[in-house]
Amino acid sequence: MRLLIVAGPPSAGKTAVVRQILRSVAGSRKAAYLKIDVVRAFEDEELRAEFSIPAKKIYSGDLCPDHMGIMILTDTLLWAEQEKADILIIESAGLCLRCTPYTTQSLGIVVLSSVSGTNAPLKMAPMIALADIAVVTKTDLVSQAEKEVFREKIRTVSPGIDIVETNAIQGTGMRYLMQAVASTPEITDAKTIRLRGIPPLGVCTVCAGKQEIGWQNHCGVVRKLESTEAIFRGD
């Protein structure tokens, strides 16, 4: 089974890219799909109805969706194997732009919207830096000059990343992505899968539900306004 992990900010076109991947493998491979979100999601229902594939969704609620996705990945792999899937596609919620849900033995795809602003890639650097491919969507809505600037900002973050520019709804320009999907190695040993990067710390009393403001009222990993480094306070 091949593992594809699709990340990116909300409304960038992640599901549109997933839909094009599913169309490209239809009839030759069986896909399974998991959508990770926080409050509501409908993508699993839509893709199940359109492609007749096993599809699930899971809500993280009070937990960081990417942290939760890491926790349930082993269960998800077992579920996809039980469904006899050849390809497992996991679509993240992509909210904080800092988490990097990509793992070893997977194809990491980051989806970016070209209309999000030319500096957008710099604001989500970790999500781009550890991906294999950056798919830039909605390129029909910007000028050639804007596309070139956006591409260079991605290269600033990750000089060697492969970039695919597309109108994801129509699927134009996605041949290279489909070739990358087809050539992605299968999982060799699920027990040895690891994260490619270290997620941000989530160890503080805000995470535990404390509502007071000011670092003086909190314990765990905290930060002051004038400090550039996080500190640990309390037990």
Side-chain angles (χ1 to χ4, degrees):
M1 183 171 62
R2 294 182 172 94
L3 174 60
L4 312 182
I5 299 178
V6 182
S11 301
K14 296 189 294 295
T15 307
V17 171
V18 169
R19 193 173 262 110
Q20 293 298 337
I21 294 173
L22 291 173
R23 285 174 182 160
S24 74
V25 302
S28 60
R29 294 190 175 275
K30 181 177 181 179
Y33 170 82
L34 173 71
K35 170 64 179 179
I36 299 172
D37 221 312
V38 179
V39 180
R40 293 296 299 273
F42 306 94
E43 292 86 348
D44 63 312
E45 301 167 18
E46 296 169 359
L47 296 179
R48 186 187 303 114
E50 184 174 350
F51 296 99
S52 300
I53 61 171
K56 281 180 175 286
K57 63 180 165 227
I58 185 166
Y59 298 135
S60 62
D62 294 331
L63 187 62
C64 164
D66 281 327
H67 285 209
M68 187 204 62
I70 293 161
M71 295 179 185
I72 65 164
L73 181 54
T74 299
D75 295 342
T76 305
L77 290 169
L78 290 173
W79 163 73
E81 288 177 1
Q82 291 168 359
E83 295 289 346
K84 295 180 170 42
D86 299 309
I87 295 178
L88 170 60
I89 303 174
I90 299 177
E91 181 182 336
S92 77
L95 296 178
C96 74
L97 309 181
R98 171 61 180 82
C99 286
T100 53
Y102 317 112
T103 69
T104 57
Q105 302 185 56
S106 74
L107 180 68
I109 303 170
V110 61
V111 181
L112 309 168
S113 169
S114 60
V115 299
S116 59
T118 54
N119 287 321
L122 304 180
K123 299 178 181 180
M124 55 189 83
M127 188 180 288
I128 297 171
L130 295 179
D132 298 302
I133 298 177
V135 179
V136 183
T137 63
K138 307 176 185 179
T139 54
D140 55 314
L141 302 179
V142 298
S143 67
Q144 181 62 32
E146 289 173 304
K147 285 195 290 186
E148 292 176 6
V149 171
F150 198 86
R151 189 186 309 124
E152 288 307 309
K153 291 300 173 81
I154 295 174
R155 296 278 189 216
T156 299
V157 175
S158 181
I161 196 170
D162 293 316
I163 299 176
V164 173
E165 296 175 330
T166 181
N167 174 340
I169 294 178
Q170 297 178 352
T172 56
M174 299 187 73
R175 180 179 299 176
Y176 179 79
L177 175 63
M178 303 315 169
Q179 291 173 348
V181 169
S183 61
T184 298
E186 295 181 353
I187 295 171
T188 56
D189 184 356
K191 293 181 180 179
T192 64
I193 292 177
R194 296 289 184 271
L195 288 173
R196 295 187 186 179
I198 300 175
L201 296 173
V203 186
C204 71
T205 40
V206 175
C207 299
K210 207 168 188 289
Q211 293 181 299
E212 290 84 354
I213 66 170
W215 64 267
Q216 299 89 341
N217 294 311
H218 292 275
C219 299
V221 180
V222 299
R223 178 171 288 180
K224 303 177 182 180
L225 176 62
E226 69 276 11
S227 174
T228 58
E229 299 292 335
I231 61 173
F232 184 83
R233 180 175 183 273
D235 295 323

